């Protein structure tokens, strides 16, 4: 392989990595918002909503993401819903990982001592104020390590997109492998890209956790 | 049924007690933790609640700002009923969350384990409620908070976090936090019980000076010498019943009720109750 080829190969993989990161960010955003909502419903919600959140979690965590992706991407058009592939991935993946995020947030919220609620109430805070000013900030630090866990799994699972015809890092690697017949190096390079993405995310999480040491 | 109904205007003469606890009862399941407790606290009074563990002192204190609900009787603060409205037909209805929160904002509380907000620094612990609950302007709240930190001797710790302070310092911050809301009543729940013995004094000194300023307080404590020194009246509870109430001299030197006598005796012989 010449230097120029290496460079263009690297650039090609980097473009795939950008798509992977983009899909990951979208998925994680959806998963975080919806997951927090599920956690709040399960902890503080009224009967039926609490039950619905619990059932949602059981179902979402009991089905493979690949099945959900294939199922929704190929059946949505029949329902008259025509969404671009990336959006289906962000939504379906986001809703899927929301079930895991819900468990992360539920554990962290429940870990904030009851006495913090007492302290806020005694100062005249309403429930929502107390939650946003006192409980959520403390729970967010507690949730960073398990949150990162889910994020890393989500990043790597964006590779499933290539199984339904999408293009991202793994698809880019496969093309290069097939074109150059250098299968192993191609996939090693793909693996290295994933590692760099995940390592970077871990470092960011560690940094945030350190900055929040008082929380 | 209780006669003070919240909808009726209560005259605000000086001899109207600030806090009226009228035949209050509460049960946890089948256990009756408060039985027909009646008490009054006048503005400027310092009432100490003493008694063996499990006597219901802390529960009663937590009923006064409705951190605990109660099922029977009525508590009023400055004529306003706490937590529940009693309808003319005698039925009870929980007040709206908004009303309960508004009442709590006028009643300060200090806890055994300080319960400071660990993610906020000392100054923010003091200012967060006035700013966010009462929407007060930043500058005057900070000024008030700094004056209070000065008063409890911790102005130099304003940018520290609770975890960086000793227990005694945290508890003084907690007292200042409660006072920043300018409460008309301060509830102190065993505020020295979690402290190392050598740190108890600094917290008690602060409370003594507040009493000197005429701040109305209800204090649950096991520190008998302190209760005697700081209180205008002392109430002894056992098994959810208010057994005897009177000026400190009478309670400590001339206890009448047999339960109180044996409690005092055990205390004098050095037993921790």
């Amino acid at each position: 392989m010449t230097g120029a080829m290496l460079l263009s190969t690297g650039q090609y993989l980097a473009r795939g990595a950008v798509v992977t990161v983009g899909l990951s960010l979208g998925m994680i955003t959806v998963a975080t918002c919806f997951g927090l909502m599920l956690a709040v419903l399960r902890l503080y919600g009224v009967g039926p909503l609490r039950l619905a959140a619990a059932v949602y979690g059981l179902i979402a965590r009991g089905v493979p993401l690949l099945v959900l992706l294939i199922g929704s991407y190929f059946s949505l058009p029949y329902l008259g819903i025509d969404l671009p592939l990336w959006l289906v991935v962000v939504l379906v993946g986001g809703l899927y990982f929301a079930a895991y995020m819900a468990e992360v947030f539920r554990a962290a919220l429940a870990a904030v001592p009851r006495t913090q609620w007492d302290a806020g109430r005694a100062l005249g805070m309403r429930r929502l104020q107390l939650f946003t000013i006192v409980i959520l900030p403390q729970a967010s630090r507690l949730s960073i390590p398990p949150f990162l866990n889910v994020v890393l799994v989500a990043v790597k699972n964006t590779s499933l997109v290539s199984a339904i015809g999408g293009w991202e890092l793994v698809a880019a690697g496969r093309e290069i492998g097939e074109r150059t017949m250098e299968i192993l190096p191609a996939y090693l390079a793909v693996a290295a890209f994933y590692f760099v993405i995940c390592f970077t995310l871990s470092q960011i999480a560690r940094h945030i956790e350190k900055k929040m040491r008082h929380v | 049924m209780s006669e003070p109904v919240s909808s009726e205007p209560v005259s605000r003469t000086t001899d109207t007690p600030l806090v009226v606890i009228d035949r209050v009862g509460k049960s946890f399941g089948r256990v009756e933790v408060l039985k027909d407790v009646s008490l009054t606290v006048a503005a400027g009074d310092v009432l100490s609640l003493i008694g063996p563990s499990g006597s219901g002192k802390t529960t009663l204190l937590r009923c006064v700002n409705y951190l605990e609900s109660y099922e029977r009787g009525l508590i009023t603060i400055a004529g306003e009923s706490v937590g529940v409205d009693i309808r003319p037909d005698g039925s009870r209805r929980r007040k709206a969350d908004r009303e309960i929160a508004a009442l709590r904002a006028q009643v300060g509380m200090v806890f055994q384990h300080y319960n400071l907000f660990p993610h906020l620094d000392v100054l923010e612990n003091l200012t967060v409620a006035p700013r966010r609950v009462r929407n007060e302007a930043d500058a005057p709240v900070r000024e008030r908070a700094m004056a209070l930190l000065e008063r409890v001797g911790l102005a130099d710790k304003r940018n520290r976090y609770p975890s960086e302070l000793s227990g005694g310092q945290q508890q003084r911050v907690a007292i200042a936090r409660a006072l920043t809301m300018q409460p008309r009543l301060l509830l102190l729940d065993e505020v020295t019980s979690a402290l190392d013995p050598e740190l108890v004094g600094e917290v008690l000194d602060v409370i003594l000076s507040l009493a000197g300023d005429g701040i109305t307080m209800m204090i649950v404590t096991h520190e008998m010498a302190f209760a005697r020194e700081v209180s205008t009246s002392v109430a002894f509870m056992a098994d959810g019943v208010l057994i005897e109430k009177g000026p400190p001299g009478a309670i400590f030197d001339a206890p009448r009720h047999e339960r109180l006598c044996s409690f005092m005796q055990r205390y004098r012989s050095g037993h921790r109750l």
Side-chain angles (χ1 to χ4, degrees):
Chain A
M1 226 188 247
T2 65
M5 266 179 77
L6 260 181
L7 188 67
S8 67
T9 304
Q11 281 172 344
Y12 197 64
L13 287 178
R15 269 172 53 200
V18 168
V19 175
T20 291
V21 169
L23 289 173
S24 303
L25 287 179
M27 251 163 68
I28 291 160
T29 306
V30 173
T32 303
C33 297
F34 192 54
L36 183 59
M37 205 182 88
L38 287 171
V40 167
L41 286 179
R42 283 205 64 182
L43 282 174
Y44 318 118
V46 289
L49 285 173
R50 181 190 293 240
L51 185 70
V55 169
Y56 178 88
L58 282 176
I59 294 175
R61 286 182 300 150
V63 180
L65 177 57
L66 183 60
V67 172
L68 293 176
L69 284 175
I70 295 175
S72 45
Y73 183 60
F74 293 110
S75 59
L76 281 178
Y78 290 104
L79 302 172
I81 304 168
D82 207 3
L83 298 177
L85 177 59
W86 70 267
L87 190 54
V88 173
V89 171
V90 164
L91 289 178
V92 173
L95 295 180
Y96 172 81
F97 283 107
Y100 291 87
M101 288 298 189
E103 295 300 305
V104 168
F105 295 137
R106 189 161 71 99
L109 288 169
V112 177
R114 300 293 309 165
T115 51
Q116 289 288 303
W117 288 91
D118 276 352
R121 279 195 201 107
L123 287 165
M125 291 184 189
R126 304 282 303 279
R127 220 177 326 187
L128 186 62
Q129 285 177 323
L130 224 168
F131 182 75
T132 54
I133 299 170
V134 177
I135 306 301
L136 193 57
Q138 297 185 57
S140 36
R141 200 213 49 164
L142 293 172
S143 67
I144 291 174
F147 178 86
L148 174 70
N149 242 343
V150 178
V151 166
L152 296 183
V153 174
V155 168
K156 291 182 286 188
N157 270 290
T158 54
S159 58
L160 294 174
V161 173
S162 62
I164 51 172
W167 188 85
E168 38 65 79
L169 184 50
V170 170
R174 189 170 55 218
E175 286 172 25
I176 287 171
E178 284 165 358
R179 217 163 30 193
T180 60
M181 296 310 282
E182 302 271 15
I183 311 289
L184 184 61
Y187 278 103
L188 280 177
V190 167
F193 267 100
Y194 274 111
F195 179 80
V196 169
I197 294 169
C198 292
F199 182 75
T200 309
L201 290 171
S202 307
Q203 291 307 110
I204 293 172
R206 252 187 62 177
H207 177 74
I208 295 174
E209 205 185 348
K210 245 192 215 157
K211 271 192 82 169
M212 293 174 84
R213 71 187 188 281
H214 289 297
V215 173
Chain B
M1 266 281 105
S2 327
E3 67 285 314
V5 175
S6 70
S7 55
E8 270 166 24
V10 174
S11 64
R12 292 275 185 84
T13 53
T14 40
D15 47 5
T16 305
L18 178 65
V19 184
V20 178
I21 297 173
D22 184 23
R23 282 168 285 169
V24 163
K26 175 179 178 62
S27 307
F28 286 123
R30 281 209 197 129
V31 187
E32 227 182 326
V33 289
L34 292 177
K35 299 172 194 159
D36 254 357
V37 176
S38 295
L39 260 183
T40 59
V41 183
D45 271 3
V46 176
L47 172 80
S48 287
L49 289 163
I50 62 170
S53 302
S55 59
K57 324 179 283 291
T58 289
T59 306
L60 180 64
L61 199 70
R62 289 168 63 89
C63 285
V64 173
N65 66 350
Y66 214 61
L67 284 187
E68 297 280 357
S69 62
Y70 53 96
E71 294 104 45
R72 297 174 293 280
L74 192 69
I75 300 175
T76 56
I77 298 177
E80 194 188 337
S81 64
V82 173
V84 289
D85 283 321
I86 295 185
R87 298 208 189 101
D89 66 356
S91 63
R92 310 167 71 87
R93 196 189 51 158
R94 193 182 198 277
K95 290 193 180 195
D97 287 348
R98 177 177 37 79
E99 290 175 85
I100 292 172
L103 180 117
R104 286 181 184 144
Q106 303 176 41
V107 179
M109 187 161 195
V110 184
F111 300 88
Q112 182 176 357
H113 296 286
Y114 339 128
N115 302 5
L116 293 175
F117 302 130
H119 59 301
L120 303 178
D121 70 22
V122 165
L123 191 58
E124 289 167 338
N125 261 281
L126 268 62
T127 56
V128 64
R131 284 177 42 231
R132 307 290 288 273
V133 174
R134 287 231 191 91
N135 296 316
E136 289 185 57
D138 223 18
V141 172
R142 281 178 67 96
E143 210 170 293
R144 201 161 76 220
M146 280 311 297
L148 283 162
L149 283 179
E150 200 81 56
R151 164 149 206 192
V152 299
L154 292 170
D156 57 325
K157 306 283 190 207
R158 63 185 174 280
N159 295 321
R160 293 305 184 86
Y161 284 84
S163 60
E164 299 169 324
L165 304 181
S166 73
Q169 291 171 333
Q170 289 190 53
Q171 196 58 296
R172 280 143 67 198
V173 171
I175 292 170
R177 174 176 72 175
L179 292 174
T180 311
M181 286 294 275
Q182 300 176 310
R184 54 202 316 172
L185 169 69
L186 191 59
L187 309 174
L188 305 171
D189 184 17
E190 295 195 32
V191 294
T192 57
S193 298
L195 295 176
D196 291 337
E198 74 270 20
L199 301 178
V200 168
E202 61 188 68
V203 173
L204 295 185
D205 284 344
V206 167
I207 300 168
L208 272 172
S209 96
L210 298 178
D213 280 7
I215 293 181
T216 314
M217 290 190 266
M218 293 178 70
I219 302 176
V220 169
T221 186
H222 290 288
E223 302 277 343
M224 294 303 146
F226 168 71
R228 179 179 195 138
E229 188 181 352
V230 75
S231 311
T232 52
S233 61
V234 177
F236 173 71
M237 286 180 72
D239 299 325
V241 180
L242 182 88
I243 297 204
E244 204 171 321
K245 184 195 169 193
I251 295 289
F252 288 105
D253 299 331
R256 283 169 305 165
H257 198 282
E258 168 225 339
R259 294 276 322 247
L260 177 56
C261 293
S262 68
F263 178 80
M264 286 301 164
Q265 227 155 42
R266 269 185 298 170
Y267 235 97
R268 284 195 203 96
S269 58
H271 281 284
R272 171 96 186 136
L273 292 150

